[in-house]
Amino acid sequence: MRTLIRVLPVALLAATAAPLAAQGHTHGAQGGNHGAHHGGGAHAMPAGWQARLDREGSTDALHFMEMSGGFHVTTGPAAVFYNPANNVTGDFRARATFTQTKAPTHPEAYGLVIAGKDLGAAADYMYFIVRGDGKYMVRHRAPNGEVHTIVDWTESPALVKQDAAGKATNALAVEGGAFGVRFLANGQKVAEFLKADVPYLVTDGIVGLRVNHNLDVHVSDFAVERGGM
């Protein structure tokens, strides 16, 4: 635990945020990135949803749609998808099951966004992503656009690796609140940071989804649950 804590960036540990209003149980997705276009280009998105690219550019190759009771995402550029209604304060659990449907040309990742703030402008958020080789990463994007690696790519037996056809399904969850934050893959804890060790750790904010470059991913069972963990 303390070994992992040492890699937390000063910018994240010192982060402060105004209190955010608690809301009820919500299904949806969201995220955000600094200095990028919003929306789904020529492709309509589900009501309430927005997208943000990592860099300025066209969203024409970006598709985010409702399908089979969940969401289907195909990306050209990497993007974060968010619905401002999924804004949490205090204890929460966010979860989603991701199915990578085909192998990307290069290893690319997908996962959950938490602690999102000001996603329409100087975006600030944390994200937990996994990829087909069975590795995960935790990062923080600061309002100035800098990206801080909290946990670098780490292999975990909890993750399902992609098969010969490039398919893999992983159920991810993030639990946050007064205790700190923990990250789970397929029901197993892969990382945890406690506020007892990191008193300025902030987990309040928007919860959403992130899908990196050139991926085809189906998302099911997305939920944000408020209350004690």
Side-chain angles (χ1 to χ4, degrees):
M1 172 59 201
R2 294 184 180 273
T3 300
L4 288 175
I5 288 298
R6 284 198 292 271
V7 304
L8 281 166
V10 173
L12 176 60
L13 302 188
T16 58
L20 299 167
Q23 300 184 32
H25 182 92
T26 307
H27 292 270
Q30 56 268 321
N33 286 1
H34 180 68
H37 288 175
H38 297 269
H43 313 290
M45 298 183 69
W49 293 84
Q50 300 178 40
R52 191 170 179 86
L53 306 181
D54 281 358
R55 300 175 181 85
E56 292 286 347
S58 172
T59 58
D60 287 347
L62 199 66
H63 299 256
F64 181 82
M65 65 197 77
E66 293 179 302
M67 183 183 293
S68 302
F71 302 97
H72 198 86
V73 188
T74 57
T75 56
V80 173
F81 303 91
Y82 66 99
N83 182 334
N86 291 322
N87 195 342
V88 299
T89 300
D91 292 346
F92 72 93
R93 187 176 194 269
R95 58 178 170 83
T97 298
F98 297 83
T99 298
Q100 177 182 291
T101 64
K102 60 185 72 173
T105 304
H106 304 287
E108 291 291 352
Y110 49 85
L112 291 165
V113 168
I114 67 164
K117 301 164 190 69
D118 201 16
L119 298 183
D124 180 3
Y125 59 90
M126 193 186 310
Y127 54 106
F128 169 44
I129 51 177
V130 304
R131 65 188 191 190
D133 60 0
K135 294 181 179 179
Y136 74 94
M137 171 184 273
V138 181
R139 302 184 104 182
H140 167 245
R141 180 176 289 270
N144 65 0
E146 292 182 357
V147 177
H148 309 113
T149 298
I150 301 171
V151 180
D152 207 348
W153 287 117
T154 301
E155 189 164 4
S156 172
L159 290 168
V160 175
K161 296 182 180 180
Q162 66 187 43
D163 62 19
K167 185 175 181 179
T169 297
N170 284 286
L172 306 182
V174 181
E175 298 175 347
F179 72 92
V181 63
R182 68 176 61 97
F183 304 92
L184 302 98
N186 299 309
Q188 300 182 48
K189 182 175 70 177
V190 297
E192 181 178 64
F193 304 102
L194 302 179
K195 286 188 178 178
D197 299 301
V198 191
Y200 300 108
L201 177 64
V202 175
T203 58
D204 290 349
I206 294 175
V207 175
L209 304 171
R210 180 177 175 88
V211 181
N212 282 2
H213 306 274
N214 302 316
L215 282 171
D216 190 301
V217 176
H218 188 76
V219 182
S220 59
D221 300 322
F222 180 86
V224 181
E225 301 162 345
R226 278 80 168 179
M229 294 297 102

